[in-house]
Amino acid sequence: MQSRQPATPSRGVRLVSPTGVPTDGIRCPAVSPRLTEWLPDLLEKLTPHTERAIRDTTTTEDRWRASSQFLTRLHPEWSNTDNTWTDDVAEAVAYVRAITARALTYDTDTEPLSAYHHQRHANLSETVTAIGTGRGPVNASLGALAKGPVALHRELDAQPTVLILQLDGEAWTEVDDRRTGVRALAAIAVLAAGFDVRVVVSPALHRHLSRRYPNWTEYHLGLTGSRDRSPHTTHREQTPEAAWDVVRDLDTEPGKRRLLGNLTTTHARRYDDLSADDAIDIAAGTVSRYVLDLETRGLVTVNRRGTQHTVQLTDLGQRATRACLDDDYELIHPDQRRLDERLTPTPHYATSTVSPRRPGGPEATPPDEWVAATGTPDTAADYVQWLTGPNSTPASRLHDRFATVAHDDAITLVGDQPATLEDGRVAYLSHTETETLVVLQWGGPVATLGRLAGALLSEKALSQILTPERLGHKFEALDEDTHEYAVGRLLRRGRQVGWCSDAETTYEAWRERITTVRDRLLSRVAELTENNDTAARSELFKDLHGLIASATQLYHAAGIDLTTTLRVPDTATLARSTTRLQNLCKFLAKTVPKQSTYGIHSGYRLLFEDRPTKLCRRLPYEVEPDAQLDLTMSWVIAGPTATALHDEITTALREELATVRDAVADGTEAAPTLEIPVVDGTTYPAIRRVIDEIATAHNTQWSPREKQRLVRLCLRSFGPSETTRRACPYDVVVSLLWALSEAQTPTPADVERAAATLPATRFRPKLTPTATKLYATLLQADGSLGRTALIEQADISASSYDRRLEDVQALDRVHAVQIDGHRRWTTMESVSLDQRIPPVTAWLPYHSDQPATSSSTHRQSPTSTRPSILGPAHTWWRSRAGWDRRPPISIATVPIDTAHDTMCPILMPTDSRQPHSHDQSHPQPDIMTPPTTPTTVAATPQPTHPNGGTQQ
């Protein structure tokens, strides 16, 4: 093995042979795979260097003020009282306080100190040397190491300090548990962010590490090998360094870098689409010249068949964009990019990582925390950002997390713990060929409407979603149900798209007009958010509702399903304020019905509009029997107690939908029915629907029995309490997707193992955090674990283990085994797993078998003992005679999880096809594939009056 010592220190991991060990730097001999055996010694040796750097940097002798200044530079958000510290931040703060106090209070000679100061010096030293080991003030692990000494030295050191780690070959080759070594290697990767880490290994140990830890070795030890080898190796074209050689001279070509960064290997883009993309921002005549240069470099491939040339990335181009371009399309050396990316995703299985996320899953940072880190538009962040996950996570996974939980044409309530966005003004966009997501935070009616309008019609959306390629240069590409009318007439008088005059029926003219309107309205949003000018706010509401309705009609016409996720981080506080709760409910009641359509017609104009000037500008239409309006956008409301807002939202919708136009109400004019289900997304049927959708999307062949077990597993794993049989569907999606990335048809045990990688607050929240760590460690273990191994791998104290072992022992899958006379713990499939779970009926709310309530009596007989789907009341509802004797508007409220929407075929023996379907020891037929279990609020018009007719 040959390696060269770099001339100047630079941050990263470098491989050094035993014959070329450098003499400078901090040396740590006999580094074993057990982190706690060498990291405290390394931190103790590092302490004098840290103290010297602090004394050389600080301008004050006040240790408290100095440490506060360091913390503000390292973690600007640490002093924000609205933020809750995570364990790693708390321990990093303790470290900075302690090391600063040592540096500014005590010199190297501690002999003259009093007994008090001796003890205080010892306490400070313990805090300094325990960080990152799991034995610090709050038992944080590698996250505290990254945010404490690593971040401090990265800030203070002009030249990185050299750390020489001599790996103990015998200890590394004999360690039984691979995850012990993985955690130590992860610590080395963390140190590399702030230090020049020289790893000294023998050739034999190098081969062993390459076999047992191939990913880490390739990412870190392999880097030096590639730098030191000849640049003319046969595999050079496959390395990030080869990509860097190709693009390094593009530092003066920002247009080419933007073009490269907006291409993919899977989707070919036309030249005119690229010239219209504002994210690229290059002239139409420049596209072909730039593409030709990138093609010559081997970065893109061009398809010149047909009338329109298309371009997409080659494999080398994809490597270049990932390794050599940052989010702002600036060049970055692949070594630096890879180091930044690999700090947190390094595979290891302890219960703490560099990020607050518990390891093992595909994301180093929990998805919700990643989304919450928006940056601020006051500096460099955008008001509208793409919804992309960490670099180790496929972009589609975060998209699926938000998209799968939404019920079509409904308002879905999700009980979740969303982190507050760093800047609430930011909205996210995500899109596929047929689906677009908007994720934003509730900020009051005016601000939220502005954010929604700004996202739907943002430059990003207009450049990559509502493009001329999708809509047509004259909107001719819209999927219309009829071609009887001209496109402009359909847009203006059918779909009621605003700000689209005769002069603006081309895409370019419409885009210029709509962006002008958007900017004007958003400037008014900034003025009126906190303004009490009622008249001005009312006018702004009308304009924003019109702008959003126009946008959603275009999305719908282009064949794009829209879903908006409204994050409400503090629903409990909102619910305690009558005014704030009414604002949210009124916002939904006024906004959601406007996003409706009937074929080529605006649903709101058909059912609610009462202004004569607007009514006369409609195309003729005919209403089919029992016709219903469709929503152009589905909604998700996510918050800690979002499901508790069900009744208030339903009431507000009921009141809003009761005010249909007089001509519709009295039967003079025919109109379709508008129903807006309010769905609890955390119940048994909702979780089952999520599992069904994921199984369909991934072609996974789970049996009905397996799906039933998966639902129950999710309700146990993500339910907030023993008495509440509900689960957060976001956690269900994340766990299923990760399990599917490991196996085509994962078992429930595989899914639970994936769920165990979630933070302790999300997986098994009914347990204490320590018990959750123990259980998660057992689930992810390859075999049985004894007391010592459990304490170390779960990263807890012995006393915590003793207190919580009984809680873990009581769980279904945890069993004790005897190995060599010692008791160990393991997890396995329990034979009695399903027998210990309450029957399906126990998962339903207490009122699920009660008659449905209604605001009028013709929906259901008051003497009915259970819901009826096809009973006489249903047919009477549809008869004209019944209509003549009943009020014209009926708004029915069906209790959530009604039995006829969920389990009736199983619960009622007369409906069952199995003679013993009530016996839980027999598998149930899969006839409970649940429709949504909503409260449906309906605006139902009177049938056409005999003297009336279709609106012309």
Side-chain angles (χ1 to χ4, degrees):
M1 178 181 63
Q2 300 294 326
S3 62
R4 292 182 288 111
Q5 181 178 339
T8 58
S10 60
R11 294 180 176 89
V13 180
R14 288 171 174 78
L15 179 62
V16 179
S17 68
T19 57
V21 178
T23 57
D24 59 331
I26 301 173
R27 179 174 300 186
C28 187
V31 173
S32 76
R34 291 175 176 80
L35 181 65
T36 54
E37 293 180 356
W38 59 270
L39 185 56
D41 293 338
L42 177 64
L43 292 173
E44 184 176 0
K45 294 178 180 178
L46 179 65
T47 298
H49 298 263
T50 311
E51 293 176 350
R52 183 167 57 252
I54 290 174
R55 286 192 292 266
D56 293 343
T57 305
T58 185
T59 58
T60 177
E61 294 296 325
D62 187 331
R63 59 181 182 274
W64 188 264
R65 178 178 297 177
S67 60
S68 297
Q69 291 173 350
F70 288 134
L71 288 169
T72 301
R73 290 162 61 183
L74 298 177
H75 309 293
E77 72 284 357
W78 80 281
S79 59
N80 189 338
T81 57
D82 294 333
N83 294 336
T84 301
W85 286 356
T86 56
D87 288 348
D88 50 355
V89 172
E91 194 158 300
V93 171
Y95 169 83
V96 174
R97 295 289 194 199
I99 194 68
T100 307
R102 276 191 46 142
L104 301 182
T105 305
Y106 304 102
D107 55 24
T108 56
D109 184 12
T110 59
E111 289 297 328
L113 298 179
S114 64
Y116 165 77
H117 281 286
H118 265 294
Q119 183 60 44
R120 184 166 182 269
H121 185 271
N123 292 339
L124 294 175
S125 301
E126 182 179 357
T127 300
V128 167
T129 58
I131 186 171
T133 63
R135 300 176 180 178
V138 292
N139 296 332
S141 188
L142 299 183
L145 182 67
K147 296 181 179 180
V150 173
L152 186 61
H153 274 271
R154 189 176 182 89
E155 177 72 19
L156 299 183
D157 289 347
Q159 290 292 331
T161 302
V162 176
L163 304 182
I164 305 167
L165 305 181
Q166 296 178 274
L167 270 58
D168 186 338
E170 183 178 357
W172 279 90
T173 54
E174 293 181 356
V175 64
D176 293 330
D177 195 333
R178 176 180 178 276
R179 284 161 296 186
T180 301
V182 168
R183 186 163 179 256
L185 295 177
I188 295 174
V190 171
L191 291 170
F195 303 95
D196 177 15
V197 181
R198 316 281 179 87
V199 178
V200 183
V201 297
S202 65
L205 179 56
H206 190 192
R207 290 191 296 271
H208 173 78
L209 294 176
S210 300
R211 289 193 303 268
R212 198 169 195 191
Y213 312 98
N215 291 338
W216 193 94
T217 307
E218 178 187 355
Y219 294 145
H220 298 288
L221 299 188
L223 291 181
T224 299
S226 66
R227 278 196 298 269
D228 293 337
R229 287 195 299 266
S230 168
H232 302 290
T233 60
T234 57
H235 298 286
R236 182 165 177 78
E237 67 275 6
Q238 302 298 327
T239 65
E241 285 72 21
W244 173 253
D245 290 340
V246 174
V247 300
R248 63 191 306 168
D249 61 337
L250 294 181
D251 56 335
T252 59
E253 300 280 357
K256 293 179 183 178
R257 298 198 305 268
R258 292 195 301 271
L259 176 59
L260 189 66
N262 282 276
L263 295 173
T264 68
T265 58
T266 57
H267 178 61
R269 301 188 64 181
R270 291 170 22 177
Y271 282 19
D272 58 350
D273 185 26
L274 295 173
S275 63
D277 191 341
D278 288 341
I280 302 176
D281 192 25
I282 57 178
T286 310
V287 172
S288 60
R289 180 162 54 87
Y290 282 4
V291 168
L292 182 61
D293 179 65
L294 296 179
E295 184 185 27
T296 303
R297 297 169 184 264
L299 298 172
V300 302
T301 179
V302 182
N303 183 352
R304 294 181 171 85
R305 295 189 299 269
T307 58
Q308 280 283 349
H309 295 176
T310 60
V311 58
Q312 62 189 88
L313 288 180
T314 62
D315 291 340
L316 179 62
Q318 183 180 45
R319 183 177 294 276
T321 57
R322 290 182 176 178
C324 307
L325 291 182
D326 63 14
D327 294 338
D328 297 322
Y329 309 115
E330 297 293 336
L331 287 178
I332 179 172
H333 194 279
D335 289 358
Q336 180 181 354
R337 162 60 69 88
R338 191 179 314 163
L339 182 60
D340 292 341
E341 292 175 357
R342 297 300 171 183
L343 282 181
T344 54
T346 302
H348 54 292
Y349 296 88
T351 54
S352 302
T353 75
V354 176
S355 71
R357 174 181 172 79
R358 307 219 332 271
E363 301 91 359
T365 304
D368 195 74
E369 293 186 18
W370 181 269
V371 171
T374 62
T376 171
D378 293 333
T379 54
D382 294 333
Y383 283 99
V384 179
Q385 301 176 16
W386 293 116
L387 185 65
T388 57
N391 291 316
S392 59
T393 307
S396 60
R397 186 163 288 157
L398 197 57
H399 179 99
D400 291 343
R401 177 184 185 267
F402 285 97
T404 308
V405 306
H407 291 67
D408 293 337
D409 295 338
I411 299 175
T412 306
L413 305 180
V414 174
D416 186 34
Q417 305 289 331
T420 303
L421 296 186
E422 186 177 350
D423 194 306
R425 298 170 295 177
V426 171
Y428 285 100
L429 270 179
S430 179
H431 76 100
T432 63
E433 285 298 312
T434 59
E435 186 175 48
T436 293
L437 305 181
V438 180
V439 180
L440 66 158
Q441 185 165 289
W442 172 251
V446 175
T448 305
L449 277 178
R451 293 167 191 171
L452 180 57
L456 291 173
L457 293 171
S458 63
E459 296 303 318
K460 287 183 171 62
L462 295 175
S463 297
Q464 298 197 29
I465 307 175
L466 294 180
T467 61
E469 183 180 13
R470 189 185 294 273
L471 300 180
H473 287 283
K474 295 184 178 180
F475 296 99
E476 71 277 3
L478 296 182
D479 183 17
E480 305 292 358
D481 295 335
T482 177
H483 297 283
E484 182 180 353
Y485 306 100
V487 173
R489 187 175 175 85
L490 279 173
L491 291 177
R492 292 191 302 274
R493 299 204 172 201
R495 299 191 180 277
Q496 301 291 330
V497 174
W499 297 282
C500 184
S501 65
D502 291 334
E504 288 143 358
T505 53
T506 64
Y507 178 86
E508 291 76 12
W510 168 81
R511 176 168 175 170
E512 182 178 355
R513 175 71 185 282
I514 207 68
T515 53
T516 301
V517 173
R518 177 201 66 196
D519 295 342
R520 175 173 56 84
L521 293 183
L522 292 183
S523 65
R524 290 171 58 194
V525 168
E527 297 171 1
L528 297 176
T529 298
E530 303 296 336
N531 194 306
N532 293 324
D533 187 339
T534 305
R537 286 170 64 92
S538 178
E539 187 66 25
L540 178 58
F541 275 126
K542 291 179 182 179
D543 289 342
L544 286 174
H545 276 135
L547 186 63
I548 293 171
S550 298
T552 59
Q553 285 288 344
L554 282 177
Y555 277 90
H556 184 76
I560 302 173
D561 294 330
L562 266 175
T563 298
T564 290
T565 297
L566 193 58
R567 296 158 53 93
V568 189
D570 195 357
T571 47
T573 302
L574 181 143
R576 287 194 295 268
S577 171
T578 303
T579 301
R580 295 173 65 189
L581 179 58
Q582 287 178 347
N583 285 341
L584 174 63
C585 294
K586 190 174 181 180
F587 168 86
L588 294 172
K590 294 291 185 182
T591 305
V592 178
K594 290 181 172 61
Q595 322 310 318
S596 56
T597 185
Y598 180 64
I600 61 171
H601 303 280
S602 165
Y604 185 82
R605 291 286 169 89
L606 298 185
L607 199 57
F608 299 99
E609 183 64 73
D610 57 3
R611 291 172 292 180
T613 55
K614 299 291 185 180
L615 292 175
C616 68
R617 295 176 59 83
R618 293 181 299 163
L619 294 176
Y621 63 92
E622 294 182 0
V623 179
E624 298 292 332
D626 301 331
Q628 289 191 2
L629 298 173
D630 297 320
L631 291 183
T632 57
M633 182 160 59
S634 303
W635 292 78
V636 176
I637 313 300
T641 57
T643 55
L645 306 179
H646 177 274
D647 292 343
E648 288 79 3
I649 294 174
T650 302
T651 300
L653 284 169
R654 178 189 298 118
E655 294 173 353
E656 182 66 23
L657 298 186
T659 58
V660 294
R661 189 166 58 253
D662 291 341
V664 175
D666 62 22
T668 303
E669 183 181 331
T673 299
L674 174 60
E675 295 185 354
I676 302 177
V678 181
V679 182
D680 186 335
T682 65
T683 60
Y684 189 107
I687 300 304
R688 175 59 185 269
R689 187 198 66 84
V690 167
I691 293 174
D692 286 338
E693 286 207 4
I694 291 180
T696 301
H698 292 264
N699 194 27
T700 302
Q701 303 300 319
W702 280 312
S703 68
R705 181 66 167 174
E706 287 176 318
K707 289 183 180 179
Q708 191 178 71
R709 292 182 63 200
L710 284 173
V711 177
R712 290 170 167 171
L713 169 66
C714 292
L715 292 171
R716 287 196 309 273
S717 298
F718 310 121
S721 67
E722 292 289 352
T723 58
T724 304
R725 303 300 181 182
R726 301 179 185 275
C728 176
Y730 290 137
D731 298 332
V732 176
V733 174
V734 170
S735 301
L736 289 174
L737 291 179
W738 184 51
L740 283 165
S741 69
E742 301 293 323
Q744 174 62 33
T745 307
T747 65
D750 296 331
V751 175
E752 188 172 25
R753 189 178 303 111
T757 65
L758 293 169
T761 55
R762 289 184 174 269
F763 175 64
R764 289 280 185 169
K766 291 168 284 193
L767 299 175
T768 61
T770 300
T772 301
K773 289 182 179 180
L774 285 170
Y775 186 45
T777 302
L778 286 173
L779 286 173
Q780 297 176 87
D782 293 332
S784 59
L785 297 177
R787 183 178 188 272
T788 302
L790 261 177
I791 290 173
E792 180 177 351
Q793 294 184 30
D795 209 8
I796 60 175
S797 65
S799 60
S800 298
Y801 172 89
D802 295 334
R803 288 196 309 271
R804 300 305 177 191
L805 180 62
E806 184 177 353
D807 298 338
V808 178
Q809 184 181 355
L811 298 176
D812 298 326
R813 293 187 57 191
V814 178
H815 300 273
V817 294
Q818 290 290 332
I819 299 179
D820 297 333
H822 298 281
R823 185 175 69 165
R824 295 193 176 190
W825 298 98
T826 186
T827 56
M828 62 183 68
E829 290 283 359
S830 175
V831 177
S832 60
L833 180 62
D834 288 334
Q835 297 175 358
R836 298 181 60 176
I837 301 173
V840 174
T841 52
W843 304 94
L844 300 177
Y846 72 94
H847 61 283
S848 62
D849 58 347
Q850 301 301 314
T853 58
S854 175
S855 58
S856 57
T857 59
H858 63 278
R859 277 280 190 178
Q860 182 173 318
S861 170
T863 61
S864 174
T865 58
R866 64 185 178 94
S868 174
I869 302 176
L870 300 175
H874 180 81
T875 57
W876 184 28
W877 162 259
R878 294 299 181 188
S879 68
R880 180 176 294 277
W883 270 111
D884 292 341
R885 294 193 296 269
R886 300 299 170 194
I889 303 302
S890 171
I891 302 149
T893 302
V894 182
I896 195 162
D897 288 342
T898 53
H900 71 274
D901 276 331
T902 54
M903 302 297 177
C904 274
I906 289 181
L907 299 181
M908 303 302 177
T910 57
D911 294 335
S912 176
R913 297 184 181 182
Q914 293 190 9
H916 303 291
S917 61
H918 60 284
D919 186 353
Q920 291 298 319
S921 63
H922 292 75
Q924 299 293 343
D926 189 35
I927 57 178
M928 62 175 188
T929 302
T932 59
T933 57
T935 292
T936 301
V937 182
T940 311
Q942 185 72 285
T944 307
H945 193 276
N947 298 326
T950 303
Q951 175 72 24
Q952 298 296 330

